Amino acid sequence: MTLMRCLLIPLLMAIAVGLCLTILSLPEGEPGLQEAVAQQLTDSGVRNPVTAVLLNFRAYDTLLELVVLLLAVLGVWSFGAHAGASAPGAGEVLDALARLITPILILVSVYLLWAGAHAPGGAFQAGAVLSAAAVLLILCGWQPPAVLGRAPLRLGLTLGITGFLLVGMSTLFSGRSLLQYPPDHAGSLIMLIETAATGAIALTLTLLFIGTAPAGRNPS
Amino acid sequence: MEALNLLTWAIDALLGLCLLWLAWWALATPELFRAIVLFVVFSLFLALVWVRLAAPDVALAEAAIGAGLTGALLMSAMARLHAATATPPELRGSPEPDTDAPKAADAGRPDSP
């Protein structure tokens, strides 16, 4: 083992030095695709170039990212049920903090979703903040209502992808190709897709934290 | 404006060095809880680095997911690990050896699976 460690450290140092040299040798001040994006920004429906690229120019990639998130949840669920660790009772500090911070987190999430059109933000950030609020509540012992057991949960998980696909395919009927929004309504279409995606991402991340599939999946 | 440029360079260098130091410390510490806390701090510093690299969207996502969600996930995994490996009191003859050390060392070794 020590021989492998003696060989490993120089190898890692060589990789680190190679990375540094590569990054330092990059040409300075390359605009890349910023000019191309800036030219088409007015047609994209949003004023933030990152959101325009994610939700309009490369919307197909974002759709597939949502599918990857769904596959992650299915992968975690495939491990089967396991006895979760008994959560210790939430202390007073955590309880008070959760009561204070959860409404703020929900508000911040909605703001990030709305601000994604013209400032840093967007669906992923809003979904992550919302799932952080849900994780905080779960750590305090909140149990999601059992009525959200199976079918509504699966509907919510796939809501982002189906919403995205419906909007994308609706453009097919007006003579454009898949996910080619009409420039007049691109802004509202993007906001619609982002809202559905936020809910789905928040649900996905929370389920990744919970780990087990909801009880009653297997009728046997 | 030379002083501001120098200050910016100093902050950037400090952030980079802190990232490297935190990463090394998180991997080398023998206690799991401390390693997880260091990982969360590393994620927060990385969010600052993303801001310095003019990528605020990535910084928001890093702060929310890396620091918040992954930190909570690792803590939950550590709790379940302890619950799964703790021996029941009636089977414990001698005082229980430190179950943290071998697992933390396993997690810290770079060639562990």
Side-chain angles (χ1 to χ4, degrees):
Chain A
M1 273 309 137
T2 50
L3 175 65
M4 196 179 299
R5 207 173 275 199
C6 285
L7 290 177
L8 202 57
I9 290 183
L11 181 64
L12 289 176
M13 294 293 294
I15 293 177
V17 167
L19 275 177
C20 288
L21 285 179
T22 308
I23 292 181
L24 287 174
S25 72
L26 283 176
E28 292 250 354
E30 277 276 333
L33 288 172
Q34 277 180 8
E35 293 159 1
V37 169
Q39 279 173 8
Q40 307 282 335
L41 196 59
T42 49
D43 287 337
S44 67
V46 293
R47 295 204 301 273
N48 184 19
V50 175
T51 306
V53 169
L54 274 182
L55 266 290
N56 194 338
F57 304 143
R58 304 298 296 242
Y60 194 53
D61 298 341
T62 309
L63 173 65
L64 294 181
E65 279 175 20
L66 294 178
V67 175
V68 166
L69 281 179
L70 180 64
L71 284 178
V73 172
L74 292 180
V76 169
W77 278 3
S78 73
F79 280 115
H82 62 87
S86 60
E92 289 182 7
V93 176
L94 185 60
D95 205 39
L97 180 74
R99 285 171 197 273
L100 185 63
I101 241 183
T102 304
I104 300 177
L105 282 178
I106 296 177
L107 198 61
V108 166
S109 161
V110 173
Y111 169 73
L112 282 176
L113 174 62
W114 169 78
H118 59 273
F124 283 99
Q125 289 80 358
V129 170
L130 206 54
S131 79
V135 164
L136 191 60
L137 287 179
I138 290 173
L139 286 175
C140 292
W142 174 69
Q143 300 280 346
V147 71
L148 299 174
R150 300 175 56 193
L153 197 67
R154 299 180 179 198
L155 194 65
L157 272 181
T158 54
L159 191 64
I161 301 172
T162 50
F164 215 136
L165 273 178
L166 282 177
V167 170
M169 290 196 294
S170 73
T171 63
L172 285 175
F173 297 124
S174 58
R176 302 164 184 271
S177 54
L178 180 71
L179 285 174
Q180 188 180 1
Y181 316 129
D184 304 329
H185 309 290
S188 39
L189 284 178
I190 287 178
M191 187 49 68
L192 194 65
I193 291 176
E194 283 207 303
T195 311
T198 301
I201 290 168
L203 199 57
T204 301
L205 291 176
T206 311
L207 286 172
L208 281 176
F209 176 77
I210 295 177
T212 56
R217 255 186 90 232
N218 300 320
S220 57
Chain B
M1 287 293 119
E2 266 306 314
L4 194 62
N5 204 9
L6 190 63
L7 189 62
T8 313
W9 264 100
I11 292 181
D12 289 343
L14 198 62
L15 274 177
L17 286 176
C18 273
L19 268 188
L20 289 171
W21 181 50
L22 279 172
W24 174 253
W25 197 12
L27 288 174
T29 180
E31 299 171 14
L32 263 184
F33 180 74
R34 187 185 296 185
I36 294 176
V37 170
L38 285 170
F39 175 77
V40 172
V41 176
F42 174 83
S43 293
L44 289 176
F45 268 83
L46 191 56
L48 286 178
V49 168
W50 287 128
V51 172
R52 284 298 302 144
L53 290 174
D57 305 69
V58 187
L60 286 171
E62 171 74 37
I65 296 178
L69 209 62
T70 312
L73 204 59
L74 286 174
M75 292 280 190
S76 167
M78 186 182 77
R80 292 184 190 187
L81 198 65
H82 282 184
T85 58
T87 59
E90 57 267 15
L91 291 182
R92 269 187 246 156
S94 54
E96 191 181 73
D98 188 15
T99 53
D100 276 342
K103 290 188 174 38
D106 279 343
R109 278 198 352 230
D111 51 350
S112 65

